[in-house]
Amino acid sequence: MRVRNCRFASDEDAGFGLVEIVVSMFLLALLAVAFLPLLIESLRVTVVNAKVATATQILNEQLDAIALLPRTCAAFNAYESATIPTVTDSRGTVYQAARDVTGCTPASYPAAVTITLTVSVVGEPSIGSRAVTRAVVESLN
């Protein structure tokens, strides 16, 4: 008659115990907390970049409108003094555009005028977009 050892599992095959699982969960929680400031900062930067991109798109629309103007001082002065409506995006951010035309009183034609366009976020003047361009004026009227 033969006698066998009837142990179900040896010490090497015991697997993970409750202490090991709790320690690993604690280490994962520490990693998650360590990455939390990075996640928050990246979300903030994403929001700012989205606002700048929208302001730049509005600015490009204003630049496209310049190409359609007649090349007269009267047209550029009317473009500068025209009321520009605010734009509200899907996130509720309000954008305001501004135009400034300088040099439209030349002594002789053709001449160049400088046009400065600015689009800013209402309530956050540090976020926005700005462009300066020049256009040729061929006559007074």
Side-chain angles (χ1 to χ4, degrees):
M1 174 173 212
R2 225 156 106 170
V3 178
R4 290 178 53 189
N5 188 357
C6 292
R7 291 180 67 194
F8 291 110
S10 67
D11 288 337
E12 296 143 6
D13 294 334
F16 291 109
L18 184 60
V19 173
E20 288 89 359
I21 291 173
V22 169
V23 168
S24 65
M25 289 176 64
F26 177 72
L27 290 174
L28 282 172
L30 280 177
L31 284 173
V33 169
F35 282 110
L36 190 60
L38 178 66
L39 177 65
I40 291 171
E41 182 64 19
S42 67
L43 289 174
R44 188 190 67 75
V45 168
T46 300
V47 168
V48 170
N49 285 343
K51 290 178 182 179
V52 171
T54 304
T56 303
Q57 180 182 4
I58 296 168
L59 185 74
N60 285 334
E61 292 171 1
Q62 295 293 317
L63 287 169
D64 289 342
I66 294 171
L68 301 175
L69 292 175
R71 299 294 168 207
T72 64
C73 272
F76 283 109
N77 288 334
Y79 174 77
E80 177 185 22
S81 62
T83 304
I84 307 168
T86 60
V87 177
T88 305
D89 67 3
S90 61
R91 294 177 305 272
T93 306
V94 180
Y95 300 88
Q96 179 63 55
R99 305 170 181 156
D100 183 38
V101 178
T102 57
C104 205
T105 54
S108 63
Y109 296 99
V113 294
T114 302
I115 304 166
T116 305
L117 301 169
T118 307
V119 177
S120 60
V121 176
V122 174
E124 299 178 70
S126 63
I127 301 174
S129 191
R130 183 173 185 266
V132 178
T133 188
R134 299 192 80 181
V136 174
V137 177
E138 297 172 352
S139 67
L140 182 62
N141 292 321

